[in-house]
């Protein structure tokens, strides 16, 4: 048993010593209970990352990402975790940032090819399906490893309205009203569930601030972006003045410990 | 030629010989140059009919696959873009032009011209083919935006009749396709039943 154990990852020694070994070395192996451990480990990489939230409001979609600052020497605004995939589509990521960047390029190519072939904006569901298929392909072979990131795609279109989809390392895409990925996702989801439909970015701010405190990390930078009627269907970073106002409001709300917000921007 | 009206659309094609390579005899008086590429999208073909048929066959397949992937009827623009990609990428080998027109849920009735080299252009109405040169003045003068369905059908039939009257290689039968949200109607008007003008 001992020589076998030395091949297992350290974290597994604490849990169920026998069943993980032998079956977790490659993505092309199932375990006896029907799991692909490499994919589950990839999802762990996402759980260790800082939180990203997406909320689908009645007239748009808002993304908020908590970017933990590991050093005061970092330039502000570097290593963005929100990407523009097409004019009307945004992507917020959690997990291994390099993997996420690679997938953002893949998504951009998909959206661009679609436009080139069919002459119009790619519908978000189709984009989510296509990228999810690509992510899934990397869970099939032992020669490659699964992507260690989840991402949330959002868009707004006059006819189809706001749309929000999340893709995880297993290659499934889910449509959502509100969704959170990363270390504080449970706490964030609880906060999101309290919201009514038709809210705006203030709540994203409050959510991130609430869940950030609960995690008790050091300094963080907040990235906010939106796409909706207010931006005429283009995905953009939230303008500085609105962002600062919302940040102030969030901090004050937290101090008052007041959850019932009825404001509209 | 096609004409376009707010709630629906009329496509009309007059057929006779169109193939320059057959020298000076009419190969068919009744050929139908209106090809259906989807439930509410049709293509008028021009140029080498062999090339045009090959392109529309390919486009029909790609469009049907695209429509199933999207889980909704395709946009007219998507159909026209598919034709454009085929024409542009194979411009050395092909000699075919198209008028793609139809109805979709997003923008209603639309008309797109895909020319020989692969240009894509959207227009409220358009004419093409050898006989079209004789009716540019007529359509420019008589076209009004937002015509009713009956007015549009009359406009198309008149224009085609005038072209057929002057062009020696146009004639035979008029095929009209009327595309609305509800249905697609195919009307065939033989040459002797067309409206008569002073040129005769």
């Amino acid at each position: 048993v001992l020589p076998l154990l030395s091949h297992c990852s350290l974290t597994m020694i604490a849990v169920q010593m026998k069943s993980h070994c032998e079956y977790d070395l490659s993505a092309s192996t199932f375990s006896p209970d029907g799991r692909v451990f490499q994919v589950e480990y990839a999802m762990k990489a996402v759980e260790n990352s800082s939180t990203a939230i997406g909320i689908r409001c009645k007239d748009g979609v808002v993304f908020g990402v908590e970017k933990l600052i590991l050093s005061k020497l970092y330039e502000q605004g570097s290593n963005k975790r929100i990407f523009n995939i097409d004019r009307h589509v945004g992507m917020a990521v959690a997990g291994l940032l390099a993997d996420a960047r690679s997938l953002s390029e893949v998504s951009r190519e998909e959206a661009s090819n679609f436009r080139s072939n069919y002459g119009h904006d790619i519908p978000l569901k189709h984009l989510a399906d296509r990228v999810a298929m690509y992510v899934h392909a990397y869970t099939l072979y032992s020669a490659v490893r699964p992507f260690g990131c989840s991402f949330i795609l959002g868009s707004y279109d006059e006819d189809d309205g706001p749309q929000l989809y999340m893709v995880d390392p297993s290659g499934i895409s889910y449509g959502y009203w509100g969704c959170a990925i990363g270390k504080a996702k449970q706490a964030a989801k609880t906060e999101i569930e309290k919201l009514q439909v038709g809210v705006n970015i203030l709540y994203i701010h409050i959510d991130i601030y609430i869940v950030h405190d609960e995690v008790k990390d050091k300094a963080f930078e907040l990235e906010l972006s939106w796409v909706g009627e207010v931006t005429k269907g283009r995905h953009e970073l939230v303008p500085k003045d609105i962002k600062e106002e919302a940040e102030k409001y969030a901090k004050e709300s937290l101090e008052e410990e007041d959850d019932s917000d009825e404001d509209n921007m | 030629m096609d004409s376009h009206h707010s709630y629906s659309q009329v496509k009309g094609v007059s057929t006779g010989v169109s193939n320059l390579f057959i020298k000076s005899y009419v190969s068919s008086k009744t050929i139908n140059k209106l090809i259906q590429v989807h439930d509410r999208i049709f293509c008028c073909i021009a140029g080498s009919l062999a090339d045009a048929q090959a392109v529309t066959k390919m486009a029909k397949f790609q469009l049907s696959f695209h429509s199933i992937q999207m889980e909704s009827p395709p946009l007219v623009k998507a159909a026209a873009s598919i034709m454009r990609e085929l024409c542009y990428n194979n411009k050395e080998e092909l000699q075919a032009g198209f008028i793609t027109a139809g109805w979709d849920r997003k923008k209603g009735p639309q008309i797109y011209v895909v020319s020989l080299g692969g240009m894509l252009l959207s227009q409220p109405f358009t004419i093409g083919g050898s006989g079209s040169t004789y009716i540019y003045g007529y359509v420019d003068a008589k076209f009004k935006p937002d015509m009713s369905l009956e007015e549009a059908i009359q406009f198309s039939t008149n224009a085609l009749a005038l072209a057929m009257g002057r062009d020696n290689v146009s004639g035979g039968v008029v095929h009209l396709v009327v595309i609305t949200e509800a249905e697609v109607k195919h009307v065939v008007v033989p040459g002797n039943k067309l409206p008569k003008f002073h040129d005769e």
Side-chain angles (χ1 to χ4, degrees), chain B residues 2-12 40-42 76 100-105 107-111 123-125 143-156 176-185:
Chain B
D2 295 340
S3 74
H4 157 216
H5 142 82
S6 347
Y7 307 110
S8 63
Q9 214 190 84
V10 178
K11 286 172 68 82
R40 293 283 180 278
I41 307 177
F42 277 72
V76 185
T100 305
W103 183 94
D104 66 49
R105 192 185 53 94
K107 278 168 103 179
Q110 296 143 73
I111 296 174
Q123 304 205 286
F125 75 95
F143 176 76
K144 304 181 317 246
D146 297 325
M147 281 191 266
S148 74
L149 192 50
E150 291 68 35
E151 283 176 315
I153 296 177
Q154 194 57 51
F155 172 66
S156 302
L176 282 176
V177 166
V178 183
I179 306 171
T180 58
E181 177 180 359
E183 54 160 9
V184 166
K185 231 175 19 176

Side-chain angles (χ1 to χ4, degrees), chain B residues 79-144:
Chain B
S81 297
I82 290 175
M83 310 282 295
R84 186 267 316 274
E85 285 296 292
L86 289 167
C87 288
Y88 183 77
N89 291 331
N90 297 297
K91 60 162 81 185
E92 316 298 332
E93 283 88 24
L94 293 173
Q95 249 194 2
F98 306 90
I99 299 175
T100 305
W103 183 94
D104 66 49
R105 192 185 53 94
K106 207 163 175 177
K107 278 168 103 179
Q110 296 143 73
I111 296 174
Y112 294 92
V113 175
V114 179
S115 69
L116 234 51
M119 174 192 78
L120 176 63
L121 195 58
S122 167
Q123 304 205 286
F125 75 95
T126 188
I127 57 178
S130 60
S132 68
T133 53
Y134 304 101
I135 52 173
Y136 273 100
Y138 176 77
V139 298
D140 284 345
K142 286 293 183 176
F143 176 76
K144 304 181 317 246

Side-chain angles (χ1 to χ4, degrees), chain A residues 160-177:
Chain A
D160 304 320
Q163 310 259 324
L164 188 69
Y165 285 89
M166 193 267 274
V167 178
D168 72 7
S170 67
I172 313 184
S173 75
Y174 309 81
Y176 279 101
W177 283 102

